[in-house]
Every structure is written in C-alpha cells, then in structure tokens.
Amino acid sequence: MKARPKKTAPTSYEDNKARALSTEVAVRADLAAREDAEPEILYYLTDDTSGVVRKNLAINPCTPVKANLILAQDDDDDVRIELARKICRLLPDLSREQTAILLEKTIEVLDILARDQETAVRAIISESLKDSVDAPKNIVIALAQDIEEIVSSPILEYSPLLSDNDLLEIMASGIAAGALPAIARRQGLGEDVSEAVVAQLEVPAVSALLANPSAKIREETLDEIMDQAEGIEPLHEPLAMRLNLSLRAMRRIAGFVGSSLVEKLVSRHNLPKTTEKELKSIVRSRIDQTTAFSEQPLETGKTHAERLFADGALDEEKVTDAVDAKDQDFVATALSLLCKYSLKRVKAMLASRNGKVVTSLCWKAGLSMRLAFKIQTVIAKVPRREIINARNGIEYPFTDEEMDWQLSFYES
C-alpha cells in the first residue's frame, strides 16, 4: 500500500533532525511523508539508503523541487514511478499559481522522467499529459516519438498540442511499431495526415482511419485504399461502412466485397432502390464471371503476358489488372517484354525489394508512376520506409540518368 502524505501534530526542527538520523526506517519513512517537514530535512532524506523513505519523498507534494530533481534519477524504479505520478498531478496547479522559477525546475524534473529508461515511468507521463494544453511541447513531441507503443500512442491519439504538420514530421522520422492506428483514430484528422497513414500500408491503421468518421480522406487517397483493399479482406467491411462514400466508390467496392457487405453498405447509406439494384448487379456479374472463368482451362501468367504482347495488347491497363490480382508471373514477364530485359534480370530487380530499382524498372517499361507505386507495394513488397512516392502526385521523382544508373547494377 502506498504511503500518503501526513498532516499530523507539528514537531520542532530539532525533533525532525533527530528523526532524520534515526536508525529505524519506519521513523525516517514517516518523516519523509510529512507535509510540514522542513524542506532541508526532506532534501537531506533524498540520500537515504531505504527505498521506502525515498518513495515517500517522491509521493510527498511538499518535497522541494531540488529534491525532486535528485529523485528523478533515483536507482529505484518505484521511486521514479511515484515521482512521475506526483509531478503530473502538480503540473496544472503550478502553471497557474507558482513562480516561474519553480515551474521551470518542475518541468526539468518532468523532462528527465519523460526520457526515463523505465517504460512504466514514461507511460505514466504520457497518459497524464495526453489531454494537457499546459504540457511543454518539447516533452509532448519526445513522448510521441517514443519507441514504445504504450508511451507514444496516448499522445499521438489525443494530444491537442500536436498539429497535422507535427504528426507528418513525427511519422517521417519513424514511430513506434503498432502506434500508427493511434494517429488514424485522432479527431479531425486532416487530409495530408490521412494520406500519409495510408502510404504506410499497415492494415490496422487503414482500418482505424476508415472507421474514424471525423478523419478527412481525399478521393485519391480512398482510391489508394481500394487498390490495397481488394486483396485484403480485413479492409472490406471498414470500407463498406465508411460514411460519405461517392457512388463511384460504392460501385468499385461492390466489385470486390461479398454480397453481405453490399447489403450493409446499402443499409448504412440508406441508398435508393435503383442504386441498390445496380450494386447488387455488380456483385452478381462478378460471381458469374468468376464461375465462367473457373470452367475454362487455366492460362499461366507468363503465357498470358506473352500472348498479349504478341497481339500488341500488353498495356498499362493489363499490367494493372495483373497487379490487382497479385499475378507475379504476369507482371515479371510483362516488365521483361516491355523493357526488353531477360526475365532473370527482371526477377532479380523485383526480388531486391529496392524501391529505387523497382521504380526505375517500371519507368523503363513505360508505365505510370502510380502503377510503379503499386508494383513496389503489391509485387515487390518493398519495405514501407523505402517505398518511392510520386513527385507532384503523378511524376517520377528521379531523372532519366538516375534511373538508368539504378538499372545498370543488374546484368542482362
């Protein structure tokens, strides 16, 4: 059980000095918990050998700030945890009532604790400051960038001090694994941040974004989500249940989700009968096509790409369809034919998982940068931090010379 600060009958300074020198831990611990103990006596007790004494000091709201600075670096985790709880309780009052010097020293204590080696200490600070408008911005930023999800997520999701630009910078510098959904759940998320979340290609984060009714999502960003979602079933329902979908988006969603989700989509958006019939017709048509296709002899992706190339029909649309179907053999063969590279060379480039190399390969094949992005993510599985994005939304971000140089490292 935690000791609580005590308000008991006053004692003399000499009595307290004697108690501070007592050989009995219980006596010193009792003194450390007293709110009426002299500041210098409490400061003296920061050097006590007993963790119980120092823990009571950490809890005591009247412990002087210089003593708190020492306790912030105590070897005992429990001492620092209790100090973190106390400082977070005191901060709002200090911001309004105390002197500037005292506030500055208290913030110094807070800053030390926010960088503590013990995750539990930092987590207490994060949870306490997540809604604060008084917390120092630099400490909030440090917590948001913490490597532990339990520390960074509360700040990323709730802190009113973080602007959209702050969030974009934090994401660019890298955030804790598993913390991206916290950003996706923020109230009033802007379009640029939503786009950055989608670019990370993390299913839980995209799902959380779609479920966030206050998040603003551009139509182009929604298209990117649908590009991913077609082959990722956990995104089907969040997409179908997203509010304010355009009719174009609904038609596209109906093209890959199950009939039960189309029913939910119709109900969710209270669609007119004509639209309902149209969407259900899209589902039936897809099912019929799939059934008919399954009855035909299967053609390999490689053979299919070679046949289309021979007929002069191997174009961006056909490659896009193959990427959406995750047909790696078709895509590799198509790139080989369009670039006039050996299939072995193309497969080595795709297997490199190098965003610059794969982007250069798509450029050589005469494909758009938008399709190059999809090939990086769907076919080549380029790590999300190394994915190459378009310049100005549609252009290749490198010069022709730079892309030729990337391709030169792979033999024919």
Side-chain angles (χ1 to χ4, degrees):
M1 180 182 296
K2 291 192 295 186
R4 295 187 177 277
K6 296 185 178 181
K7 291 185 177 181
T8 57
T11 56
S12 70
Y13 181 70
E14 293 303 321
D15 286 340
N16 283 342
K17 282 179 63 178
R19 286 152 61 86
L21 296 170
S22 172
T23 57
E24 300 210 15
V25 172
V27 173
R28 304 196 309 275
D30 180 75
L31 178 62
R34 292 183 64 103
E35 292 185 11
D36 61 351
E38 293 80 359
E40 59 269 32
I41 296 289
L42 295 176
Y43 182 81
Y44 172 81
L45 291 173
T46 58
D47 199 33
D48 199 282
T49 57
S50 170
V52 176
V53 174
R54 302 194 309 277
K55 185 175 176 181
N56 282 2
L57 277 178
I59 296 170
N60 191 339
C62 294
T63 297
V65 68
K66 288 184 179 180
N68 287 335
L69 280 167
I70 295 173
L71 295 172
Q73 301 173 71
D74 197 281
D75 291 336
D76 191 323
D77 292 346
D78 288 340
V79 171
R80 302 194 312 280
I81 286 172
E82 292 300 340
L83 181 64
R85 290 186 176 126
K86 178 182 73 177
I87 294 299
C88 289
R89 286 195 302 269
L90 293 178
L91 187 64
D93 291 335
L94 286 173
S95 300
R96 290 188 287 270
E97 298 175 2
Q98 303 298 319
T99 65
I101 294 177
L102 183 56
L103 177 59
E104 181 183 342
K105 291 295 182 184
T106 303
I107 289 174
E108 187 178 346
V109 174
L110 189 65
D111 187 45
I112 294 170
L113 295 171
R115 302 173 194 278
D116 195 277
Q117 63 182 4
E118 177 60 40
T119 301
V121 174
R122 305 194 309 276
I124 288 169
I125 301 293
S126 175
E127 187 64 29
S128 299
L129 299 186
K130 67 181 183 183
D131 299 313
S132 175
V133 294
D134 299 315
K137 181 80 174 280
N138 65 307
I139 293 177
V140 168
I141 294 288
L143 292 168
Q145 294 175 322
D146 199 280
I147 61 172
E148 298 290 345
E149 178 190 348
I150 192 175
V151 178
S152 61
S153 287
I155 295 291
L156 290 171
E157 182 170 353
Y158 297 109
S159 178
L161 299 178
L162 296 180
S163 66
D164 279 7
N165 284 336
D166 291 328
L167 292 168
L168 290 170
E169 289 181 13
I170 290 167
M171 292 171 67
S173 65
I175 61 175
L180 196 60
I183 295 179
R185 291 191 295 266
R186 278 182 72 92
Q187 289 296 305
L189 203 64
E191 293 176 337
D192 289 340
V193 183
S194 293
E195 183 178 0
V197 168
V198 172
Q200 302 302 308
L201 302 176
E202 289 190 10
V203 173
V206 176
S207 181
L209 181 69
L210 290 169
N212 181 353
S214 70
K216 298 175 183 176
I217 305 177
R218 295 188 186 96
E219 195 72 18
E220 297 83 357
T221 304
L222 197 61
D223 283 340
E224 288 183 29
I225 295 175
M226 287 188 282
D227 288 343
Q228 299 175 34
E230 188 163 346
I232 304 174
E233 191 169 343
L235 289 179
H236 289 187
E237 184 163 359
L239 253 178
M241 300 304 286
R242 174 74 186 174
L243 290 171
N244 301 319
L245 291 171
S246 67
L247 182 56
R248 183 183 72 85
M250 291 182 192
R251 288 182 180 130
R252 187 170 175 191
I253 291 168
F256 60 82
V257 304
S259 56
S260 63
L261 282 180
V262 171
E263 292 280 3
K264 288 185 178 181
L265 188 153
V266 169
S267 175
R268 172 78 160 168
H269 296 84
N270 195 25
L271 298 176
K273 286 293 182 182
T274 52
T275 305
E276 179 182 352
K277 288 179 180 179
E278 179 187 358
L279 297 181
K280 289 181 177 179
S281 174
I282 292 172
V283 176
R284 284 194 300 273
S285 175
R286 186 182 83 242
I287 293 172
D288 290 343
Q289 288 176 2
T290 302
T291 303
F293 178 78
S294 66
E295 294 171 354
Q296 299 297 322
L298 291 176
E299 181 179 34
T300 67
K302 181 175 183 298
T303 306
H304 187 196
E306 289 172 340
R307 178 173 58 79
L308 289 172
F309 184 74
D311 294 342
L314 184 60
D315 56 17
E316 172 134 344
E317 182 181 355
K318 298 298 190 301
V319 178
T320 300
D321 290 343
V323 173
D324 290 341
K326 297 183 172 59
D327 189 339
Q328 298 200 12
D329 285 342
F330 183 105
V331 175
T333 303
L335 290 170
S336 168
L337 294 168
L338 293 171
C339 292
K340 298 181 181 178
Y341 288 167
S342 71
L343 186 57
K344 179 180 177 181
R345 183 182 185 185
V346 168
K347 286 185 174 180
M349 291 178 180
L350 293 174
S352 72
R353 302 183 70 199
N354 183 315
K356 292 181 180 179
V357 170
V358 175
T359 298
S360 301
L361 178 63
C362 294
W363 162 77
K364 188 72 174 179
L367 303 175
S368 69
M369 182 57 208
R370 179 163 188 169
L371 182 51
F373 178 87
K374 291 182 70 171
I375 290 175
Q376 288 180 81
T377 58
V378 177
I379 301 298
K381 308 294 185 186
V382 174
R384 63 182 177 88
R385 292 175 189 266
E386 298 177 23
I387 289 172
I388 304 302
N389 290 299
R391 185 176 66 231
N392 300 325
I394 57 171
E395 300 173 6
Y396 277 91
F398 309 119
T399 64
D400 293 358
E401 291 76 13
E402 288 172 328
M403 289 188 279
D404 274 329
W405 183 75
Q406 290 289 339
L407 297 172
S408 69
F409 286 93
Y410 291 81
E411 296 180 1
S412 300

